[in-house]
Amino acid sequence: MKDNELFKFLNDELERQNNSIELIASENFASKEVRELCGSILTNKYAEGFPGKRYYGGCVNIDNIETRAIELVKKLFNANYACVQPHSGTQANMIAYYALLETGDKILSLSLDEGGHLSHGSKVSFSSKYYNVEFYHLNAFGRIDYEGLKKKALEYKPKLILAGFSAYPFEIDYKAIKEIANEVNAYFMVDMAHIAGLIAAKELNNPLKYADIVTSTTHKTLRGPRGGIILTNSEEIIKKVNKACFPALQGGPLENIIAAKAQCFYEALTDSYKEYIRNVKENTLACSNEFTRLGDINSGTENHLFLLNTIDSYKVNGKDAQELLEEIGITVNKNMLPNDKEKPSVTSGIRIGFAALTTRGATKFDAINIADIIHDYLLKNISKEEAKIRVKNIVKNLKKVEEI
């Protein structure tokens, strides 16, 4: 017996995904193998605790699966220790804070409007309620102001300095931040949720060489299921992390999702995945460069995303741009820009990423055409009908989502 109305909604979503151009930088399309494991019989099993130390019987196969996930992610990121149980990136961050900090301790991070994440100290997040958060900033070129970061750290004396962002299009100098952290005797934490796939493919530097603790999601550029992970090279820290994860903050792990995580780590170790990530960077750069050629203001990029200033380029705020583009089958998300004067619910721009569309086989020529469509439509150079036709001409050559 099934709820036919519910499955209709599911089919509607499949149609939407197949017939639209997905440019949300935090989304991707998981493989059939990952999806199969997400919906497997592993969802039936309770397994509180960790491999070899469970509070329930019947976990021998579960232990093998979770151990496999741990070993694969350690190999992927050259880490000594890993926790694969966090249910999401935000929960991974919560666990990391809980493991290393006391309530009221100081965190130094990048603010949401300059590319940080809600869980990095936003006033609407738990992180600002339980910890004292101060922010460092970007320079006039939209890059981290490392001198300013150092000055803030020396003044503020945080217990933890946080790097890794949700809307930062450039490489991060982990060595410089680690040196600052050492100078003020702070932990150095990296949230690599957005760029984990690029790090796995060695297209960006690995923060494990410098960071005390690294958190990530598994569903963005890693192309796995929705979930989180925590990595470290410190035995002392992983013990604290595991205790913070269970029993402090989470109950039974989602072993079906952990199995799917293991599959995505396995896929990320392949040569084909490395080629995929190279294509993601190529497509993102091609799209950004085309906007620049057209005279539109954007951040530029060194990874899988960039920010497009829609207020100054088209006299349209980010919220309206998002809604207008969705009407023609292009999905983006409104996003704050550095020193944004608009509210977070409105914003002055949008965030564009190519991890998802590249999974469907998009090329740099598609990326250039997409920039042209967005430019023409937001400037009202073409009608909605013409824009839809141009979108459809790109989509028809992409892989079907269910076939990935």
Side-chain angles (χ1 to χ4, degrees), residues 292-321:
T292 299
R293 188 191 71 80
L294 293 167
D296 301 333
I297 301 169
N298 72 93
S299 63
T301 182
E302 293 173 358
N303 55 28
H304 67 298
L305 65 83
F306 63 92
L307 299 173
L308 181 64
N309 185 326
T310 57
I311 284 278
D312 291 341
S313 298
Y314 319 113
K315 310 305 177 189
V316 178
N317 66 47
K319 179 177 183 292
D320 290 343

Coordinates of all heavy atoms in Angstrom, one line a residue, residues 292-321:
T292 N 31.8 38.2 -16.9 CA 32.8 39.3 -16.9 C 32.8 39.9 -18.3 O 32.8 41.1 -18.5 CB 34.2 38.8 -16.5 OG1 34.1 38.3 -15.1 CG2 35.2 40.0 -16.5
R293 N 32.9 39.0 -19.3 CA 32.9 39.5 -20.7 C 31.7 40.3 -21.0 O 31.8 41.3 -21.8 CB 33.1 38.3 -21.7 CG 33.3 38.7 -23.1 CD 33.2 37.6 -24.1 NE 31.8 37.1 -24.2 CZ 30.9 37.7 -25.0 NH1 31.2 38.8 -25.7 NH2 29.6 37.3 -25.0
L294 N 30.6 39.9 -20.5 CA 29.3 40.6 -20.7 C 29.2 41.9 -20.0 O 28.2 42.7 -20.2 CB 28.1 39.7 -20.4 CG 28.0 38.5 -21.3 CD1 27.0 37.5 -20.7 CD2 27.5 38.9 -22.7
G295 N 30.1 42.2 -19.0 CA 30.1 43.4 -18.2 C 29.4 43.3 -16.9 O 29.1 44.3 -16.3
D296 N 29.0 42.0 -16.6 CA 28.3 41.8 -15.3 C 29.2 41.6 -14.2 O 30.3 41.0 -14.3 CB 27.4 40.5 -15.5 CG 26.4 40.7 -16.6 OD1 26.0 41.9 -16.9 OD2 26.0 39.7 -17.2
I297 N 28.9 42.1 -13.0 CA 29.8 42.1 -11.8 C 29.7 40.8 -11.1 O 28.6 40.4 -10.6 CB 29.4 43.3 -10.9 CG1 29.6 44.6 -11.7 CG2 30.3 43.2 -9.7 CD1 29.0 45.8 -10.9
N298 N 30.8 40.1 -11.0 CA 30.8 38.8 -10.2 C 32.2 38.7 -9.5 O 33.1 39.4 -9.8 CB 30.5 37.6 -11.1 CG 31.7 37.3 -12.1 OD1 32.6 36.5 -11.8 ND2 31.7 37.9 -13.2
S299 N 32.2 37.7 -8.6 CA 33.4 37.6 -7.7 C 34.6 37.0 -8.4 O 35.7 37.1 -7.8 CB 33.0 36.8 -6.5 OG 32.6 35.4 -6.9
G300 N 34.4 36.3 -9.5 CA 35.5 35.4 -10.0 C 35.5 34.2 -9.2 O 34.7 34.0 -8.2
T301 N 36.3 33.2 -9.6 CA 36.3 31.9 -8.9 C 37.6 31.2 -9.0 O 38.3 31.3 -10.0 CB 35.2 31.0 -9.4 OG1 35.2 29.8 -8.7 CG2 35.4 30.7 -10.9
E302 N 37.9 30.4 -7.9 CA 39.0 29.4 -7.9 C 38.5 28.1 -7.5 O 39.3 27.2 -7.3 CB 40.1 29.9 -7.0 CG 40.8 31.2 -7.4 CD 41.8 31.7 -6.4 OE1 41.9 31.2 -5.3 OE2 42.4 32.8 -6.7
N303 N 37.2 27.9 -7.4 CA 36.7 26.6 -7.0 C 35.4 26.3 -7.8 O 35.4 26.5 -9.0 CB 36.4 26.6 -5.5 CG 35.6 27.7 -4.9 OD1 34.7 28.2 -5.6 ND2 35.8 28.0 -3.7
H304 N 34.3 25.9 -7.1 CA 33.1 25.4 -7.8 C 32.0 26.4 -7.8 O 30.9 26.1 -8.3 CB 32.6 24.1 -7.1 CG 32.1 24.4 -5.7 ND1 33.0 24.9 -4.8 CD2 30.9 24.2 -5.2 CE1 32.3 25.0 -3.6 NE2 31.0 24.6 -3.9
L305 N 32.2 27.6 -7.3 CA 31.1 28.6 -7.2 C 31.7 30.0 -7.4 O 32.9 30.3 -7.3 CB 30.4 28.5 -5.8 CG 31.2 28.7 -4.5 CD1 31.3 30.2 -4.2 CD2 30.6 28.0 -3.4
F306 N 30.7 30.9 -7.6 CA 31.0 32.3 -7.6 C 29.7 33.1 -7.3 O 28.6 32.6 -7.3 CB 31.6 32.8 -8.9 CG 30.7 32.7 -10.1 CD1 29.9 33.7 -10.5 CD2 30.7 31.5 -10.9 CE1 29.0 33.6 -11.6 CE2 29.9 31.3 -12.0 CZ 29.0 32.4 -12.4
L307 N 29.9 34.4 -6.9 CA 28.8 35.2 -6.6 C 28.5 36.2 -7.7 O 29.5 36.8 -8.2 CB 29.1 36.0 -5.3 CG 29.3 35.1 -4.1 CD1 29.7 36.0 -2.9 CD2 28.0 34.3 -3.7
L308 N 27.3 36.4 -8.1 CA 26.9 37.3 -9.1 C 26.1 38.5 -8.5 O 25.1 38.3 -7.8 CB 26.0 36.6 -10.2 CG 25.5 37.4 -11.4 CD1 26.7 37.9 -12.2 CD2 24.6 36.6 -12.2
N309 N 26.6 39.7 -8.7 CA 26.0 40.9 -8.2 C 24.8 41.3 -9.1 O 25.0 41.9 -10.2 CB 27.0 42.0 -8.1 CG 26.4 43.2 -7.4 OD1 25.3 43.6 -7.6 ND2 27.3 44.0 -6.7
T310 N 23.6 40.9 -8.7 CA 22.4 41.2 -9.6 C 21.9 42.6 -9.4 O 21.3 43.2 -10.4 CB 21.3 40.2 -9.3 OG1 20.9 40.3 -7.9 CG2 21.8 38.8 -9.6
I311 N 22.1 43.2 -8.3 CA 21.7 44.6 -8.1 C 22.4 45.5 -9.0 O 21.8 46.3 -9.7 CB 21.9 45.0 -6.6 CG1 20.9 44.4 -5.7 CG2 21.9 46.5 -6.5 CD1 19.5 45.1 -5.6
D312 N 23.7 45.5 -9.0 CA 24.5 46.4 -9.9 C 24.5 46.0 -11.3 O 24.7 46.9 -12.2 CB 25.9 46.5 -9.3 CG 26.0 47.2 -8.0 OD1 25.0 47.9 -7.7 OD2 27.0 47.0 -7.3
S313 N 24.4 44.7 -11.6 CA 24.4 44.2 -13.0 C 23.1 44.4 -13.7 O 23.1 44.7 -14.9 CB 24.8 42.8 -13.0 OG 26.1 42.6 -12.5
Y314 N 22.0 44.2 -13.0 CA 20.6 44.1 -13.7 C 19.6 44.9 -13.0 O 18.4 44.9 -13.4 CB 20.1 42.7 -13.8 CG 21.2 41.7 -14.1 CD1 21.6 40.7 -13.2 CD2 21.8 41.7 -15.4 CE1 22.6 39.8 -13.5 CE2 22.8 40.8 -15.7 CZ 23.2 39.8 -14.8 OH 24.1 38.9 -15.1
K315 N 19.9 45.6 -11.9 CA 19.0 46.3 -11.1 C 17.9 45.4 -10.5 O 16.7 45.8 -10.4 CB 18.3 47.5 -11.9 CG 19.3 48.4 -12.6 CD 20.3 49.0 -11.6 CE 21.4 49.8 -12.4 NZ 22.5 50.2 -11.6
V316 N 18.3 44.2 -10.2 CA 17.3 43.2 -9.6 C 18.0 42.6 -8.4 O 19.2 42.2 -8.4 CB 17.1 42.1 -10.6 CG1 16.2 41.0 -10.0 CG2 16.5 42.6 -11.9
N317 N 17.3 42.6 -7.2 CA 17.8 42.0 -6.0 C 17.9 40.5 -6.2 O 17.3 39.9 -7.1 CB 17.1 42.4 -4.8 CG 15.7 41.9 -4.7 OD1 15.4 40.7 -4.9 ND2 14.7 42.8 -4.4
G318 N 18.6 39.9 -5.2 CA 18.9 38.4 -5.3 C 17.6 37.6 -5.2 O 17.4 36.6 -6.0
K319 N 16.7 38.0 -4.4 CA 15.4 37.3 -4.2 C 14.6 37.3 -5.5 O 14.1 36.2 -6.0 CB 14.6 37.9 -3.1 CG 13.2 37.2 -2.8 CD 12.5 37.9 -1.7 CE 11.2 37.2 -1.4 NZ 10.2 37.4 -2.4
D320 N 14.5 38.5 -6.1 CA 13.8 38.6 -7.4 C 14.5 37.8 -8.5 O 13.8 37.2 -9.4 CB 13.5 40.0 -7.7 CG 12.6 40.7 -6.8 OD1 11.8 40.0 -6.1 OD2 12.6 42.0 -6.8
A321 N 15.8 37.9 -8.5 CA 16.5 37.2 -9.6 C 16.3 35.7 -9.5 O 16.1 35.0 -10.5 CB 18.0 37.5 -9.5

